[in-house]
Amino acid sequence: MQFLSPSFLYLLLLGIIPVMLYLFRRKSKTVNVSTLVFFKTLAREHQESAWLRRLKKWLSFLLTAIVLVAAVIALARMVLSGRDNGDFRTVVILLDRSASMAVENEEGETRLAEAKRILYERLKDIPEEVGVALIAYDDRPEIVQPRTLKRRELISRLESVRIRPIADKAGAALESAKSIASLEPPAVIWHASDSVFDRDANPDSLELRELNLALDEVSNPGITAFQIRPVTMEYSQYDAYVQVSLNEAAPAPIKGRLNVNIGGMPSQFREFELDPGEDSGFTFKVGGSQNQMLRLELNCEDDDFPLDNQVLVPLPDSSPVLAAWIRPDETEDPFTRFALSAIQEDGNLELLKGTPDAWPLSEPVDAVIFDGWLPDEWPENMPVVVINPPGSLGPVLAAQLEDPVPYDSVRVGNEQHPVLFRVTSSRVAVTATAVFQTEGSLEPLWIAGNEPVLAAGEYKGQRVVVMGFSPGISEQLPLTSAFPLLVGNSLLWCIDGNGDRAGNSVSQYSAGEFVPVDGESITWSEWRDGEMREQRIPLKSNLVEMDRIGVWKTDSGNKGTSHLLSAAESNISAKSEEADSDAEYFKVKEGVAGNLKNILLAVILLVLIVESLLFHRFAVY
Amino acid sequence: MPTDQPTQTEDEIFDAEFLDRLRALFLRLRKRKQLKKKGIQSTPASGFTREFKDYRNYTAKDDYRAIDWRLYARLDRLFIRLYEEIQEFHVHIVVDTSASMAEPFADKRITSLKLAVALSYMGLVGNHRVSLYEIGEQVGDPPPPLKGLGNLQRVLDFARNLEFGGITDLEKCFREFQPSRRRYGIIFVISDLYGKSVDEAKEAIHHASGWPGEVHFIQVHHPWEEKPDLDGEIELIDVETQEQRRLWFTPRDRKRYEARYQEFIHDIEYACQSRQIDYQRWRTDYPFDELFLDLLSRGSALSSGS
């Protein structure tokens, strides 16, 4: 037995009043009167024996005492539960408000709504002197309510928590909860989520109770990855990549369909079949003008979580590739210039030519070609094609040969490499002018003799192509189609690896990120209920949180998209017995085993009815 | 609240001071009577001897037997003769001696006895015959009529020896009380008029309309009976019947009681008026002298005697 509001027990002192009234009650007076005839007209007579009158007075006193005691106990919130509330002074509620909490059960109740309901009931069983704090988290924690004794305030704050379409990161939230819990120990943390913490990974002495809200069975196919980019050198063509996954806890394989819409019109679709825990990637090419809206929609029969079924993105700008060709005047190779001119003819390449004096460049470019020259400092923020390196710099460890060495043929290191796409290496004869090492991530593509003459690879996330020959003195190379192809492929491959290249200005963000913007307002476009909806919101600061899924644009021209795209969030887990070990702890108990309020109120009501019957219906005085 | 209040003893009531006050009262009454004695004064009571006083024109309402035919023969106009009555009549004083007249308010008993003595004194002074009766369950045997102030002591003895107790049967008493025509006079009934039911007094009064003479009902009651000071759980005991009744008395009940009591008084007053019976309420807390003068100033034949 426990009193959750023991301060009300002082009201039992009010019992003194009926006791005193009973002890010092006005005794029945005997009055002689001249005649009774006038009194007989007032009320009917009550002739009762003394013991019956005494019994009735006792009964009246007893009923009054019962009403008083029952009311006080109800106010003091007595519970008879066997629940172990522990001996703690603080409860820290750690409430998951991430996207996965939007999963609904058969009654249409979301995980968050169920969490609120259970927590609301469970809080009733917490003594009022125990402080409660509320932390809601998605990808970061927010202290919604610091430790408070005011339950109404807490309930109000609890009600205000809303689901945000953001993947959760519970680790930081748990640390915050521990910090708050440590302020007023002993404390207990209630973690309300559809996933539980690994207890082995949190061996702290802190008491952690898991309110596991996961469903017994849940199936969720969702889009977990997406990428789109303009096809280099192809106007209004875009390559897109989509990955769809099925959560591991799904009870059965599913069949689904991925619809692709451009500008509101269906464009193409892909059908797929996934086993639980499996993912599948799709690559497809779409055409459209820039800023047209591309919408991907996943349709599956058995899907409990719709938030990850959609991707909305405007087609990015497809501006021409901008490359810089830096070479000393005396080493300008006409064949290299010819190859670059051939690519330029399509209009998809803009070439800036310059001497070493132009370095560093005054404007950003998508790639740079160092031809027979290297700067003093390696450029780390752009892809680089190095032709005939004069020395070593950055990832290029090379040395010029005093006497160029002609080779009749080259061996191919990796003919599947994109740089060698459609290049007929078998007819090529090159004259090596430099030797270089292919250590690290550089991969030799052509090997002449024992030395590599062409290598490509990534260096600190930056794509690099190195050619250790000079086209001008390589007899069977410049006049064949292999060299322009090689130069073009090198540029394309380098630029493809640079997602942030100039011109591709639509930025994609994960929901929950903070994005720096400028301007007065931001306009969000969201696909809801089968139509595109726009909402304009004034900007309060230069940082905007991606707290919804959709496309945004500021009045100053910043724009971007916000996606859930989280493999972890989409991999919704089902409830397991092991993870539901605290089910009894959070079970709402009513009646004799739990909160007695309703029973006591019923008793009070019953007693009042009995009193009413006795004193009014049967006129018991 | 009804209590047996210690009041004056009987000796104190009928002491010399009280008799002096009665004499003074009598003088005041006679002076008032002389001041009012102007012109024709008639009384509905008829006497035994008549003295001529005046003539008056005959009207259609007058008894034709009163026409002075001799005067008609002489003047050829109709006149009737007026007489001043010289009354010698009986004064019947009926005292209620039921228990309710003595308990729980002894004031009612004292008041009624004083009133009976005062009326007797008036009768004796006026040289009338005074008869004293007691009523309760039935009408008691009256002593012989008394005449002359020398019998005042016998009146006092009678009053002193009256025993109060028992129940009141108004219906029976008023029916049985029938003074003979030979004892025509003034009848004073001194009682609280509480019967076995609320309406008993009202119904019993009709017997009084047949009594030979001028009837006065004097209802003696205590102020508590009009406005009882009761509250809460009470057990009431009727002093006459010893009947008990348990009540939870509320202010609302008190108002209802007071209204019922006033209705009772008005019913009696109306019953008396409709039968040309004089009725006077006599609250024990009001000044005795004032009420007594009032009583005799209301056209009573007793006040016009002597």
Side-chain angles (χ1 to χ4, degrees):
Chain A
M1 189 175 73
Q2 187 180 13
F3 291 101
L4 301 181
S5 302
S7 57
F8 281 100
L9 289 176
Y10 290 110
L11 290 178
L12 280 176
L13 292 174
L14 289 175
I16 294 172
I17 295 173
V19 170
M20 298 299 283
L21 287 174
Y22 177 75
L23 292 178
F24 300 99
R25 66 188 180 279
R26 189 185 295 179
K27 300 288 190 292
S28 170
K29 290 184 298 188
T30 301
V31 179
N32 289 327
V33 291
S34 304
T35 181
L36 277 177
V37 293
F38 304 112
F39 294 99
K40 285 179 180 175
T41 62
L42 299 181
R44 67 190 180 93
E45 190 178 10
H46 304 291
Q47 293 288 1
E48 293 165 343
S49 57
W51 69 267
L52 186 56
R53 289 203 308 276
R54 211 160 32 243
L55 178 67
K56 286 177 176 178
K57 287 189 172 69
W58 260 105
L59 185 63
S60 170
F61 170 70
L62 191 66
L63 293 179
T64 306
I66 288 174
V67 168
L68 182 72
V69 171
V72 171
I73 290 178
L75 285 171
R77 299 168 62 205
M78 188 177 84
V79 289
L80 293 176
S81 65
R83 194 197 299 283
D84 176 22
N85 268 329
D87 183 22
F88 48 80
R89 297 178 57 195
T90 302
V91 173
V92 181
I93 299 174
L94 198 54
L95 180 58
D96 185 357
R97 63 177 177 189
S98 64
S100 61
M101 293 294 278
V103 174
E104 295 179 352
N105 58 15
E106 290 178 353
E107 288 78 31
E109 185 181 39
T110 65
R111 304 300 78 221
L112 184 66
E114 185 177 346
K116 288 179 182 178
R117 178 172 54 79
I118 295 175
L119 289 172
Y120 177 75
E121 294 298 328
R122 184 63 181 84
L123 282 169
K124 291 179 182 175
D125 289 351
I126 296 298
E128 63 180 8
E129 67 269 17
V130 174
V132 183
L134 174 62
I135 299 175
Y137 72 93
D138 33 64
D139 69 330
R140 58 186 160 270
E142 179 191 356
I143 299 174
V144 179
Q145 174 64 57
R147 185 181 184 274
T148 180
L149 298 176
K150 298 175 183 172
R151 292 288 189 272
R152 283 189 180 181
E153 194 176 349
L154 177 78
I155 297 299
S156 170
R157 294 295 178 87
L158 180 63
E159 286 299 319
S160 70
V161 175
R162 297 282 178 270
I163 294 170
R164 301 192 344 144
I166 299 172
D168 68 79
K169 292 175 185 171
L174 182 59
E175 291 305 317
S176 301
K178 286 177 181 176
S179 301
I180 290 180
S182 64
L183 297 177
E184 286 281 350
V188 61
I189 296 174
W190 292 357
H191 179 220
S193 175
D194 55 352
S195 58
V196 298
F197 288 117
D198 183 0
R199 289 181 187 269
D200 296 334
N202 295 280
D204 295 354
S205 58
L206 208 61
E207 189 176 354
L208 176 66
R209 296 287 186 171
E210 293 283 2
L211 172 56
N212 189 1
L213 298 156
L215 297 176
D216 295 332
E217 216 173 66
V218 60
S219 174
N220 177 43
I223 301 173
T224 53
F226 169 76
Q227 197 172 20
I228 186 168
R229 66 178 59 174
V231 178
T232 311
M233 312 281 183
E234 287 189 42
Y235 183 69
S236 296
Q237 292 296 313
Y238 303 88
D239 283 329
Y241 172 78
V242 177
Q243 177 179 285
V244 295
S245 308
L246 179 61
N247 63 322
E248 294 175 9
I254 60 153
K255 288 181 180 177
R257 177 169 160 149
L258 178 70
N259 292 319
V260 180
N261 292 274
I262 297 173
M265 301 296 291
S267 169
Q268 52 189 300
F269 66 87
R270 297 282 190 281
E271 289 185 330
F272 60 87
E273 184 170 354
L274 291 173
D275 289 327
E278 187 187 13
D279 55 56
S280 178
F282 301 105
T283 305
F284 52 89
K285 188 169 282 188
V286 293
S289 60
Q290 66 181 48
N291 291 329
Q292 265 192 318
M293 206 62 78
L294 169 66
R295 184 166 63 84
L296 304 178
E297 190 177 26
L298 198 63
N299 286 324
C300 297
E301 281 187 2
D302 190 11
D303 190 354
D304 295 317
F305 180 55
L307 275 177
D308 58 356
N309 288 354
Q310 198 162 261
V311 167
L312 190 67
V313 63
L315 294 175
D317 298 341
S318 55
S319 54
V321 172
L322 184 63
W325 181 29
I326 310 295
R327 76 282 176 264
D329 284 341
E330 65 275 13
T331 63
E332 178 174 319
D333 191 312
F335 298 102
T336 305
R337 188 178 61 194
F338 173 74
L340 290 171
S341 300
I343 302 169
Q344 271 185 284
E345 282 180 3
D346 290 341
N348 292 321
L349 173 69
E350 287 184 8
L351 186 65
L352 302 175
K353 292 190 288 187
T355 61
D357 298 337
W359 189 261
L361 301 174
S362 57
E363 60 179 299
V365 294
D366 297 322
V368 63
I369 303 169
F370 295 130
D371 186 359
W373 179 81
L374 284 173
D376 297 333
E377 196 172 332
W378 182 256
E380 295 180 346
N381 57 351
M382 64 183 71
V384 178
V385 178
V386 182
I387 302 173
N388 188 20
S392 296
L393 183 66
V396 180
L397 301 175
Q400 280 281 335
L401 293 173
E402 292 182 0
D403 298 317
V405 179
Y407 292 102
D408 293 337
S409 62
V410 295
R411 285 182 285 119
V412 179
N414 177 10
E415 64 178 337
Q416 298 298 322
H417 198 280
V419 171
L420 297 182
F421 181 63
R422 291 187 179 178
V423 175
T424 50
S425 305
S426 58
R427 295 181 185 176
V428 170
V430 297
T431 302
T433 55
V435 291
F436 58 90
Q437 290 184 352
T438 58
E439 293 179 354
S441 59
L442 290 182
E443 180 184 15
L445 299 180
W446 280 352
I447 301 164
N450 293 325
E451 299 296 331
V453 291
L454 174 66
E458 291 195 4
Y459 171 71
K460 294 182 180 178
Q462 170 187 21
R463 288 189 174 181
V464 178
V465 176
V466 183
M467 300 178 189
F469 54 86
S470 173
I473 58 176
S474 299
E475 294 175 356
Q476 291 189 26
L477 176 64
L479 297 177
T480 65
S481 62
F483 185 62
L485 277 174
L486 184 63
V487 173
N489 286 345
S490 298
L491 280 173
L492 281 178
W493 182 76
C494 285
I495 293 166
D496 276 354
N498 182 15
D500 297 329
R501 79 174 184 83
N504 185 4
S505 57
V506 174
S507 305
Q508 298 186 45
Y509 301 97
S510 294
E513 277 188 77
F514 281 100
V515 178
V517 295
D518 46 29
E520 298 294 326
S521 65
I522 182 169
T523 302
W524 280 93
S525 302
E526 297 172 78
W527 182 265
R528 275 188 299 180
D529 303 328
E531 60 178 329
M532 189 69 75
R533 300 189 178 195
E534 289 197 347
Q535 186 182 11
R536 184 172 175 273
I537 303 170
L539 279 173
K540 294 177 180 174
S541 73
N542 291 332
L543 279 178
V544 171
E545 186 184 20
M546 302 289 107
D547 59 352
R548 59 189 79 191
I549 293 173
V551 180
W552 57 268
K553 184 171 65 179
T554 65
D555 54 356
S556 64
N558 302 133
K559 57 186 177 180
T561 61
S562 171
H563 305 298
L564 180 59
L565 298 180
S566 166
E569 197 68 13
S570 294
N571 188 19
I572 297 172
S573 54
K575 186 180 284 185
S576 65
E577 287 187 9
E578 184 185 353
D580 201 24
S581 58
D582 289 329
E584 188 65 20
Y585 182 83
F586 286 101
K587 190 174 180 182
V588 176
K589 295 182 177 176
E590 292 289 349
V592 178
N595 199 330
L596 293 178
K597 187 179 71 177
N598 292 337
I599 292 178
L600 291 170
L601 289 178
V603 167
I604 291 171
L605 193 64
L606 189 65
V607 170
L608 289 177
I609 290 171
V610 170
E611 275 197 315
S612 177
L613 278 173
L614 285 175
F615 298 143
H616 298 289
R617 179 76 177 175
F618 300 109
V620 175
Y621 301 131
Chain B
M1 179 178 175
T3 52
D4 289 326
Q5 297 171 359
T7 56
Q8 294 167 303
T9 64
E10 291 168 5
D11 290 337
E12 288 170 335
I13 295 171
F14 306 124
D15 60 4
E17 185 188 349
F18 176 68
L19 295 177
D20 287 344
R21 281 170 56 206
L22 277 182
R23 286 189 197 97
L25 210 59
F26 174 71
L27 292 173
R28 281 171 62 190
L29 191 64
R30 192 160 62 179
K31 189 173 182 180
R32 184 186 289 185
K33 180 188 69 177
Q34 287 170 349
L35 288 172
K36 289 182 177 177
K37 194 174 183 180
K38 291 176 181 176
I40 302 168
Q41 193 172 44
S42 63
T43 167
S46 55
F48 292 93
T49 60
R50 305 173 88 189
E51 287 186 358
F52 174 75
K53 191 168 67 177
D54 202 354
Y55 289 104
R56 154 167 92 70
N57 286 328
Y58 172 77
T59 63
K61 290 180 181 178
D62 293 328
D63 188 350
Y64 64 88
R65 289 175 299 182
I67 296 173
D68 189 333
W69 295 110
R70 290 182 181 178
L71 203 59
Y72 173 72
R74 209 168 48 180
L75 300 176
D76 201 20
R77 290 179 61 186
L78 288 175
F79 290 94
I80 60 172
R81 294 168 67 91
L82 295 178
Y83 298 91
E84 185 173 21
E85 293 173 347
I86 299 174
Q87 296 173 340
E88 183 194 41
F89 41 57
H90 281 264
V91 176
H92 303 280
I93 300 170
V94 182
V95 181
D96 182 356
T97 58
S98 65
S100 64
M101 291 295 285
E103 296 175 23
F105 307 106
D107 288 354
K108 287 168 68 178
R109 173 173 159 271
I110 302 298
T111 300
S112 57
L113 290 179
K114 286 167 75 175
L115 190 54
V117 169
L119 290 170
S120 300
Y121 178 81
M122 295 295 293
L124 293 174
V125 168
N127 208 26
H128 303 302
R129 292 182 183 275
V130 176
S131 297
L132 292 163
Y133 304 84
E134 58 173 314
I135 60 169
E137 290 184 61
Q138 58 189 5
V139 182
D141 292 333
L146 306 172
K147 188 175 181 182
L149 200 55
N151 283 312
L152 182 60
Q153 186 56 44
R154 294 180 65 183
V155 172
L156 293 174
D157 290 342
F158 175 82
R160 187 178 292 121
N161 295 327
L162 278 178
E163 291 183 0
F164 286 76
I167 63 170
T168 316
D169 190 340
L170 295 174
E171 173 72 21
K172 181 182 177 186
C173 291
F174 289 178
R175 190 175 64 245
E176 288 179 353
F177 179 71
Q178 287 293 345
S180 67
R181 285 279 163 190
R182 291 193 304 111
R183 293 187 175 182
Y184 192 91
I186 308 172
I187 302 165
F188 291 98
V189 179
I190 304 168
S191 171
D192 54 11
L193 297 177
Y194 296 155
K196 293 188 288 291
S197 69
V198 177
D199 296 329
E200 185 182 356
K202 183 173 66 177
E203 290 164 3
I205 283 173
H206 83 274
H207 293 295
S209 59
W211 291 348
E214 175 187 299
V215 182
H216 296 266
F217 271 97
I218 303 168
Q219 188 189 12
V220 179
H221 64 94
H222 191 273
W224 188 94
E225 292 171 336
E226 194 174 354
K227 293 179 183 294
D229 180 23
L230 292 174
D231 190 19
E233 187 181 7
I234 50 173
E235 187 178 30
L236 302 171
I237 300 175
D238 191 322
V239 293
E240 290 188 2
T241 62
Q242 299 303 311
E243 183 185 355
Q244 297 179 358
R245 192 169 188 86
R246 184 176 297 281
L247 289 175
W248 189 275
F249 208 71
T250 64
R252 183 166 168 270
D253 289 331
R254 188 183 305 142
K255 285 183 181 173
R256 288 175 57 203
Y257 174 94
E258 289 170 6
R260 188 69 190 91
Y261 193 83
Q262 291 300 323
E263 188 184 348
F264 163 72
I265 288 173
H266 291 146
D267 284 350
I268 291 175
E269 192 170 12
Y270 179 76
C272 290
Q273 283 177 350
S274 62
R275 292 172 177 81
Q276 295 193 339
I277 296 171
D278 184 53
Y279 167 80
Q280 179 160 4
R281 291 171 59 194
W282 198 291
R283 267 180 59 163
T284 56
D285 57 336
Y286 286 177
F288 181 87
D289 296 0
E290 296 293 326
L291 286 176
F292 191 69
L293 282 176
D294 254 10
L295 171 67
L296 297 180
S297 303
R298 291 149 67 104
S300 168
L302 185 63
S303 61
S304 61
S306 68

